[in-house]
Amino acid sequence: MKKSDRQLGMDRDITRRDFVHDLSLASLGLTLSAGVLVEACTGNPESPGTYYPPTRTGMRGSHPGSFEAAHALAREGKRFPDPVDLDEQYDLVVVGGGISGLAVAHYYRKQFGADSRILILENHDDFGGHAKRNEFHQGGQMRLSWGGTMNLEYPMFSDTVNALLGELGVDIDELLKGSEFEYGSGPKGSPSIFFDAETYGRNELIHGFSFRAGCGDNVESMIDRFPISEESRESLKTFYARRDNVFKGKSEAEVSKILSGISYTGFLKKYGGLSDEAVNLFIKTTHGYAGVGADSLSAAECIDASLPIMHLLGYSELSGSGDDNAGGSVAMFPDGNASIARLLVHALIPAVAPGSNATNIAMARFDYSRLDEATNPVRLRLESTVVNVANRDGGTSVSYVNHDRVLRVKSRHAVLACYHTIIPHLCPDMPSEQKEAQAYQVKRPLILTNVLLRDSKAFDKLDISGAYCPGRLHGAVWQVKGVNTAGYHHDWEDAGPVPIMFWGSVAPPDASVPARVQHRASRAMLLAMTFEDFEREVRTVLDGMLSSAGFDVQKDILAITVNRWPHGYSYDYLDLWDPEWPEGQAPHEIARRPFGNIAIANADAGANAYTHVAIDEAWRAVLDLNC
Ligand SMILES: Cc1cc2nc3c(=O)[nH]c(=O)nc-3n(C[C@H](O)[C@H](O)[C@H](O)COP(=O)(O)OP(=O)(O)OC[C@H]3O[C@@H](n4cnc5c(N)ncnc54)[C@H](O)[C@@H]3O)c2cc1C
């Protein structure tokens, strides 16, 4: 049943070479898992001598070389003594070049003057943090995809966020007009479910079915094709056919209490009458959307996730419409919120891409050699992991590791726009209560693997834009097409090279423990996975799902970019696992208090993963700084 690596084409077409960062880290005495880089497909514009990370393939996201110094500091207690003092003095040093850190630099210039000298230190080889651009080139065409953050969740924007996006020239209406991507239920192709042979005994693609939306009149015949037991199929058919109110006679408050006190899967079992086997099919529907399984979310939280529940609460609808992975029209750039990061960097350092603006930013080729020039008031330094931040002499001192060197700069202010969990190690002198509060934040691991296919013919023949895969590592697979914004065009009608995005998280070995414990276990599993593990996984899924439509797994895969995010979504508090804290006493509120000349930003400071929260927290952090 299981295909060999050779049959899957693991030895074909894509070549590998060792990742270049190994050498510099070895000299620091840091260990590095064997990283591999898949050479980009034809026409990769990162030619020797140029530095252009968006086209890098292989293991990206938290790539080898980006996290070892921080892990050595936090996990092994490694110290970085005797830093070399650089002859550089700043008004502000920002730790972290994600959207929050970039927004901090933008706001600081507004508050403290446009000529403020600012240094942004970022541990990855690219800026943007989760807002990561994946750029492929094939046959003279550029194909873009999201390496992380995708949507602008504009209905939730504060005035602060709207004002910033306005300054950057972002027009949400224009983005909406140009976006036809709808997470598997777009204009071309129906949502579908892929049952894989390794998990379910045979490969079965159920065209037109969505766990969220059901499938109208055909629900029974579709469920009849599910490769699960007869009992489970029957329980699903009954579930989708029901329209009743399981809480008839109870008050709204009573219903709300029940729904926020039971897991979604518990609800499906207890009130939906589903078998265990049927319930398990739903678990990964929330992996990408929430970074956690539907077994760890409350039923109330899964109403927000548009999972079927309403039809058992007295409504005729199952849920909001959509597919199994969020859904609905969205405001997007073709490289996701990497365009926001790029617009911010362009505003701070115009020389990186002269002439760029929000209407053409997706096509801009950034000149990375301009990021860190002494003549520019704002400098962005990549591959620089901060290991110490201290209040000193009315200002701050910041030490960081850049390749094999430990360096130190001085500044008037510092803003930590990095993960909260690293802050106690960067600032050991902070009050214990604050450090404990920072440690409460355990980001949710996520994976976003992009696979460039030679063409989309097999998807088109099957008339699917993607599929939900309940038995696989990545719960969702989609064609990335139809985001025609910011100067970029890739129409649904174009059957040429196409990025396929695999999205999901790593299921923890034990989902009965608190979510934060699950996330730590999933993170360890994610970091232990090699590039070959991901390659084998995506080849297996594409072969099983598409080979009946002419897809050749040995020839049709051109490039693979794994964006692994062991520290993904910021942890937001969950009904089932977190208490309610009094106003001002929630961990994130204690964690983000200013400390001398040091303030704290990042989405973690809002206990909420979204891009707009990262921006709101940047503004608050700048206001926290003393003049
Ligand atoms: C896969 C994925 C999909 C997402 N999709 C969406 C979406 O569709 N919509 C949405 O609104 N949000 C989404 N998010 C949430 C996303 O996290 C936020 O949108 C936002 O990008 C967070 O920005 P940030 O700057 O706070 O954090 P980050 O993006 O994490 O940036 C912080 C940066 O600081 C760096 N850093 C950490 N420690 C150090 C150190 N010691 N020295 C130097 N640098 C350091 C980090 O490596 C990182 O680059 C998604 C997140 C992920 C992972």
Side-chain angles (χ1 to χ4, degrees):
M1 179 81 60
K2 203 169 173 168
K3 287 198 172 174
S4 69
D5 282 359
R6 184 176 283 267
Q7 287 170 315
L8 287 172
M10 296 277 289
D11 61 337
R12 304 259 313 254
D13 291 325
I14 296 178
T15 51
R16 301 163 188 78
R17 61 188 163 90
D18 290 342
F19 197 75
V20 288
H21 288 77
D22 295 32
L23 286 176
S24 53
L25 283 153
S27 61
L28 266 176
L30 302 173
T31 51
L32 186 66
S33 61
V36 288
L37 192 70
V38 177
E39 282 177 5
C41 42
T42 54
N44 179 353
E46 191 180 22
S47 50
T50 64
Y51 184 101
Y52 192 67
T55 53
R56 292 182 182 172
T57 55
M59 194 65 98
R60 302 291 295 154
S62 285
H63 58 76
S66 65
F67 56 86
E68 291 78 2
H71 283 188
L73 174 76
R75 296 177 174 190
E76 296 153 30
K78 185 177 167 74
R79 293 290 163 259
F80 297 88
D82 308 322
V84 174
D85 281 308
L86 294 182
D87 187 19
E88 295 178 13
Q89 174 81 41
Y90 295 94
D91 296 300
L92 171 70
V93 171
V94 183
V95 181
I99 284 184
S100 202
L102 297 171
V104 163
H106 177 87
Y107 288 132
Y108 192 91
R109 295 176 85 207
K110 281 182 161 290
Q111 285 295 98
F112 294 91
D115 56 350
S116 301
R117 292 196 57 79
I118 300 174
L119 175 66
I120 303 164
L121 294 167
E122 165 60 42
N123 59 323
H124 288 94
D125 62 14
D126 202 351
F127 57 80
H130 296 149
K132 174 85 84 187
R133 175 179 169 102
N134 282 184
E135 180 177 326
F136 301 97
H137 290 257
Q138 173 67 19
Q141 290 171 305
M142 179 172 77
R143 290 288 173 250
L144 294 176
S145 188
W146 315 289
T149 311
M150 303 166 226
N151 308 339
L152 285 170
E153 309 280 353
Y154 61 94
M156 294 190 273
F157 286 180
S158 64
D159 291 345
T160 306
V161 174
N162 278 322
L164 176 65
L165 294 194
E167 284 171 48
L168 296 177
V170 176
D171 182 336
I172 295 292
D173 290 335
E174 282 301 311
L175 293 180
L176 286 170
K177 263 191 241 161
S179 299
E180 290 186 315
F181 179 84
E182 292 187 13
Y183 290 96
S185 58
K188 184 145 188 195
S190 300
S192 56
I193 312 291
F194 174 60
F195 291 96
D196 66 285
E198 280 178 20
T199 314
Y200 298 101
R202 67 172 193 267
N203 289 319
E204 186 79 59
L205 183 72
I206 314 285
H207 174 273
F209 188 88
S210 156
F211 276 109
R212 279 193 165 83
C215 52
D217 295 339
N218 299 328
V219 68
E220 298 217 342
S221 59
M222 289 191 182
I223 292 174
D224 275 335
R225 289 175 51 211
F226 284 19
I228 55 176
S229 70
E230 178 65 28
E231 179 210 352
S232 297
R233 284 197 294 266
E234 288 309 315
S235 75
L236 276 167
K237 284 194 241 175
T238 307
F239 173 74
Y240 279 104
R242 278 174 60 183
R243 292 292 180 276
D244 54 2
N245 185 352
V246 296
F247 300 126
K248 202 167 181 181
K250 292 201 186 308
S251 70
E252 210 172 297
E254 286 171 319
V255 173
S256 166
K257 193 168 171 207
I258 295 170
L259 292 177
S260 49
I262 188 169
S263 68
Y264 179 65
T265 47
F267 176 90
L268 291 180
K269 233 172 131 175
K270 184 167 179 183
Y271 299 103
L274 293 184
S275 69
D276 282 339
E277 187 186 31
V279 163
N280 286 343
L281 296 176
F282 288 81
I283 289 177
K284 290 198 174 192
T285 54
T286 57
H287 262 197
Y289 158 84
V292 65
D295 46 355
S296 292
L297 294 171
S298 72
E301 286 161 341
C302 286
I303 292 178
D304 293 339
S306 300
L307 285 169
I309 210 173
M310 302 307 288
H311 64 306
L312 302 187
L313 303 181
Y315 296 85
S316 57
E317 300 298 318
L318 287 167
S319 63
S321 61
D323 78 328
D324 294 302
N325 310 288
S329 293
V330 284
M332 292 182 125
F333 287 95
D335 57 0
N337 293 342
S339 275
I340 301 295
R342 283 156 65 91
L343 285 168
L344 279 165
V345 170
H346 176 255
L348 297 167
I349 310 171
V352 293
S356 295
N357 58 51
T359 66
N360 62 17
I361 191 71
M363 303 305 286
R365 161 110 185 157
F366 271 40
D367 179 354
Y368 280 70
S369 71
R370 311 301 298 268
L371 288 176
D372 190 9
E373 291 185 320
T375 49
N376 199 58
V378 181
R379 302 175 74 171
L380 203 167
R381 195 162 293 163
L382 299 169
E383 301 179 322
S384 300
T385 303
V386 172
V387 289
N388 186 265
V389 184
N391 285 299
R392 293 256 190 286
D393 309 326
T396 73
S397 73
V398 179
S399 303
Y400 65 96
V401 177
N402 176 275
H403 295 268
D404 55 353
R405 300 169 302 165
V406 185
L407 306 166
R408 184 162 57 190
V409 291
K410 289 191 185 131
S411 69
R412 182 174 161 209
H413 294 128
V415 173
L416 311 183
C418 51
Y419 314 148
H420 274 193
T421 41
I422 193 71
I423 294 177
H425 306 283
L426 304 184
C427 304
D429 297 338
M430 266 189 188
S432 305
E433 182 197 21
Q434 188 167 3
K435 288 190 285 186
E436 278 163 30
Q438 285 153 357
Y440 196 87
Q441 170 62 240
V442 184
K443 282 179 183 276
R444 304 204 166 115
L446 286 165
I447 324 162
L448 215 156
T449 303
N450 281 304
V451 181
L452 186 73
L453 297 192
R454 191 176 301 283
D455 56 56
S456 66
K457 288 178 189 157
F459 275 93
D460 296 342
K461 192 169 174 191
L462 293 167
D463 187 30
I464 57 169
S465 52
Y468 170 60
C469 309
R472 301 308 306 190
L473 172 69
H474 309 81
V477 185
W478 300 299
Q479 291 189 73
V480 179
K481 267 188 189 177
V483 185
N484 295 318
T485 57
Y488 177 80
H489 288 277
H490 186 191
D491 293 321
W492 282 103
E493 289 67 36
D494 183 337
V498 60
I500 304 297
M501 194 183 99
F502 287 71
W503 195 32
S505 189
V506 179
D510 181 358
S512 66
V513 296
R516 292 160 59 246
V517 180
Q518 294 180 34
H519 299 335
R520 286 200 193 94
S522 300
R523 176 178 306 154
M525 291 161 70
L526 183 55
L527 282 170
M529 290 178 69
T530 63
F531 176 80
E532 281 75 16
D533 294 331
F534 288 100
E535 181 175 1
R536 190 174 296 110
E537 174 64 21
V538 296
R539 284 180 180 276
T540 301
V541 171
L542 290 170
D543 180 55
M545 193 163 75
L546 304 177
S547 59
S548 66
F551 175 78
D552 185 338
V553 71
Q554 298 192 350
K555 294 189 184 149
D556 290 339
I557 292 174
L558 301 177
I560 301 173
T561 303
V562 178
N563 297 279
R564 80 176 158 193
W565 298 111
H567 303 271
Y569 290 150
S570 295
Y571 186 82
D572 55 345
Y573 306 123
L574 296 177
D575 288 344
L576 300 178
W577 306 109
D578 300 290
E580 287 209 7
W581 286 277
E583 175 87 25
Q585 292 304 306
H588 69 286
E589 293 169 309
I590 298 169
R592 68 189 182 195
R593 290 175 186 160
F595 177 58
N597 296 305
I598 303 167
I600 295 174
N602 194 278
D604 288 359
N608 191 311
Y610 292 112
T611 294
H612 53 272
V613 174
I615 294 171
D616 281 328
E617 291 304 319
W619 174 233
R620 184 211 29 82
V622 170
L623 293 181
D624 277 349
L625 292 170
N626 300 317
C627 292

